[in-house]
């Protein structure tokens, strides 16, 4: 989001279903070294995106709204992780 905002672009629809994640794991032949994993994350669905004037009074408000959406997403992910943790600990 910061990279978009630096260019004066508002995504307009920032939710978990618009985040694409590709995970990969590389197995090491050396038993002493752990496997390496990486994630490639992309933001999708720019159908509601628009340009805005960063120097205007509403520019900072737009950025605050999208950053709030990001905070809500983080809270939702955290809640799901806690549910999953409780489920695993019950086994």
């Amino acid at each position: 989001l910061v990279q978009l905002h630096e260019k004066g672009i508002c995504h307009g629809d920032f939710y978990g279903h618009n985040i694409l994640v590709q995970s990969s794991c590389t197995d090491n032949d050396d038993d002493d070294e752990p496997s390496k994993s990486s994630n490639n994350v992309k933001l999708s669905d720019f159908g509601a995106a628009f340009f805005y004037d960063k120097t205007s009074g509403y520019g900072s408000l737009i950025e605050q709204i999208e950053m709030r959406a990001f905070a809500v997403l983080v809270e939702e992910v955290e809640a799901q992780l806690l549910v999953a943790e409780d489920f695993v600990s019950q086994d």
Side-chain angles (χ1 to χ4, degrees), residues 32-66:
D32 294 335
E33 297 227 5
S35 299
K36 294 182 180 181
S37 63
S38 64
N39 294 310
N40 186 13
V41 180
K42 303 272 184 182
L43 189 55
S44 66
D45 189 2
F46 283 80
F50 60 91
F51 289 97
Y52 65 95
D53 182 359
K54 292 182 58 61
T55 62
S56 70
Y58 69 88
S60 66
L61 296 174
I62 289 170
E63 293 173 4
Q64 287 175 27
I65 290 169
E66 286 212 319

Side-chain angles (χ1 to χ4, degrees), residues 67-82:
M67 294 312 289
R68 176 63 184 137
F70 176 74
V72 169
L73 174 68
V74 169
E75 291 169 1
E76 290 173 351
V77 169
E78 181 182 36
Q80 290 300 314
L81 289 173
L82 291 173

Side-chain angles (χ1 to χ4, degrees), residues 5-20:
H5 293 167
E6 287 173 351
K7 295 174 173 57
I9 302 171
C10 175
H11 183 271
D13 193 22
F14 187 77
Y15 297 101
H17 60 268
N18 288 332
I19 300 172
L20 307 175

